[in-house]
Amino acid sequence: MLKYLKSVALGALVCSAFSAAGFAQGDVDKGKKVFNKCKACHMVGDKAKNKSGPELNELFGRAAGSKDGFKYSKAMLAKGEDGLVWNEETLNAFLTKPKAFVKGTKMSFAGIKKQKDMDNLLAYLGTFSTAEVQAPVAEQDDVSDDANAPAVTTQTNVAASAAEVPEHGVFHLGRVATDDEIAAWDFDVRPDGMGLPNGRGTVADGEEVFVEKCASCHGDFGEGVGRWPVLAGGQNSLQNERPVKTIGSYWPYLSTVYDYVQRAMPFGEAASLTDDETYAITAYLLYLNDIVDDEEFELSKENFLTVEMPNTANFYADDREDEPQYSVSADPCMNECKVGPVEITKRAQVLDVTPDQE
């Protein structure tokens, strides 16, 4: 604790020592408030630990993707292997638009838009680092301009590159996506198991993760808190006037559960779960819906397709092409297509599933 108290006390000295740095004008107290945007995923200070993002003590001078115990994306690990080190310049570029600076990063944060907020945040984070916080200054030797160019790709470089008109395609827009960029988005899971990663998780493991990361919205047993979605129950209710459509009563494929959880959950920390955690949560959801009844049941890539959802048989392929009015050779009806008067037979019901936040 004493180490970080000293860091805070010396924060003003650090800023004055590096007055050329962009964030030297930042306000530490205001930076602490900006850090509230980061607290859902990151920690700093004496008891800091890795959450869905790595802890940020001693961030300045740290190589990208190097914090022990945290599972980084392949893209971030590659950046570290290529020599990316966090300092004023690189953090400025990354935090402005993370997914543009490190294509394929798991970080879902959209970015900091105001430079003053950036300066304040970096000033605050600097109080938790003992390393030099300013970007290194190139030595002035008799070398070419290219040799003195910064090693880090800045937003200016990105903008200049984007301004070049590509030759490919019909409209000459954008560029061909790289394999890494495609891989960062191409992780969907199909009903036939295509796309399932290696991994495994038990019902008991899933309960622990669910209680920590999901229960605040969905309840400990999937019953839903307030107006958040109900995940369990509703069996035999689909014929009712107000059916309860849950994973157990309605969803046709287990792959839909896995894919949605890994892609969109937890709320506010999308795509932050490991493969094992996703398997475990999916197993726990099966247990909550009485599809499996053993707390030691372990779901994995190997047995995933053996699980059949209760409502699978009630889904069928779209067969409208076989109906006469959809025939390719049929003349489309353009007027007086409805025989008799038009009547309202059903009314839509508003189903807001995401409650307003205060």
Side-chain angles (χ1 to χ4, degrees):
M1 182 65 180
L2 180 60
K3 172 181 177 182
Y4 297 108
L5 289 175
K6 289 180 178 179
S7 297
V8 173
L10 292 173
L13 294 177
V14 171
C15 289
S16 61
F18 301 106
S19 59
F23 71 86
Q25 306 304 318
D27 184 296
V28 172
D29 291 334
K30 291 181 179 178
K32 184 177 181 180
K33 293 181 180 179
V34 179
F35 186 73
N36 287 333
K37 299 179 180 180
C38 317
K39 289 173 66 175
C41 303
H42 299 282
M43 295 181 67
V44 290
D46 186 41
K47 297 182 180 180
K49 62 181 181 179
N50 295 330
K51 297 175 67 178
S52 57
E55 58 99 337
L56 301 180
N57 290 333
E58 302 297 345
L59 176 61
F60 292 92
R62 181 197 298 176
S66 65
K67 184 60 188 176
D68 292 339
F70 185 75
K71 185 177 179 181
Y72 290 93
S73 64
K74 293 180 180 179
M76 187 63 76
L77 292 172
K79 282 288 188 179
E81 292 172 359
D82 290 342
L84 176 61
V85 175
W86 297 124
N87 55 41
E88 173 215 347
E89 183 178 10
T90 55
L91 284 170
N92 234 309
F94 177 61
L95 294 177
T96 298
K97 199 168 186 180
K99 290 189 179 297
F101 188 75
V102 180
K103 295 179 174 64
T105 180
K106 295 192 298 183
M107 185 166 168
S108 58
F109 182 56
I112 295 177
K113 307 304 180 187
K114 297 180 180 180
Q115 186 58 46
K116 195 61 180 176
D117 286 345
M118 181 76 74
D119 295 343
N120 294 337
L121 175 62
L122 294 183
Y124 175 68
L125 292 176
T127 65
F128 297 95
S129 289
T130 55
E132 183 174 308
V133 295
Q134 187 181 21
V137 179
E139 296 181 3
Q140 298 298 319
D141 295 326
D142 292 333
V143 293
S144 67
D145 290 339
D146 289 340
N148 284 329
V152 179
T153 301
T154 63
Q155 286 184 303
T156 303
N157 300 138
V158 173
S161 175
E164 299 175 2
V165 178
E167 297 180 357
H168 67 269
V170 177
F171 299 104
H172 309 295
L173 298 174
R175 60 172 174 76
V176 177
T178 66
D179 291 341
D180 288 341
E181 289 169 339
I182 294 173
W185 288 98
D186 185 21
F187 56 93
D188 56 299
V189 177
R190 300 189 332 193
D192 62 1
M194 180 69 73
L196 278 171
N198 293 320
R200 58 190 62 249
T202 66
V203 170
D205 292 337
E207 181 179 15
E208 292 183 9
V209 181
F210 189 90
V211 168
E212 177 185 354
K213 300 188 175 184
C214 314
S216 61
C217 296
H218 298 293
D220 289 344
F221 305 103
E223 73 277 15
V225 175
R227 294 175 60 207
W228 292 99
V230 177
L231 302 182
Q235 284 81 355
N236 302 316
S237 70
L238 297 184
Q239 299 296 325
N240 297 349
E241 183 177 349
R242 295 176 64 86
V244 181
K245 296 183 178 181
T246 70
I247 290 170
S249 69
Y250 181 72
W251 291 33
Y253 303 114
L254 187 59
S255 58
T256 308
V257 181
Y258 187 99
D259 185 85
Y260 184 75
V261 170
Q262 73 156 347
R263 185 181 303 278
M265 294 290 112
F267 182 63
E269 299 179 45
S272 63
L273 297 171
T274 66
D275 294 334
D276 287 345
E277 287 176 329
T278 307
Y279 275 111
I281 287 178
T282 304
Y284 182 60
L285 291 171
L286 290 174
Y287 180 79
L288 291 181
N289 284 279
D290 299 323
I291 298 172
V292 300
D293 56 12
D294 183 0
E295 290 187 7
E296 298 303 316
F297 171 77
E298 182 179 71
L299 184 65
S300 65
K301 180 178 180 180
E302 288 70 31
N303 68 352
F304 195 90
L305 295 182
T306 65
V307 179
E308 183 174 349
M309 303 299 283
N311 197 42
T312 298
N314 292 321
F315 282 78
Y316 53 89
D318 187 345
D319 59 359
R320 285 176 294 179
E321 290 186 354
D322 298 330
E323 298 178 11
Q325 64 267 35
Y326 290 102
S327 173
V328 176
S329 60
D331 293 329
C333 178
M334 303 302 294
N335 54 55
E336 298 183 2
C337 303
K338 176 73 171 67
V339 179
V342 176
E343 298 177 354
I344 297 176
T345 58
K346 293 183 179 180
R347 295 185 181 275
Q349 182 176 350
V350 178
L351 295 175
D352 295 329
V353 296
T354 304
D356 294 332
Q357 292 184 313
E358 296 296 337

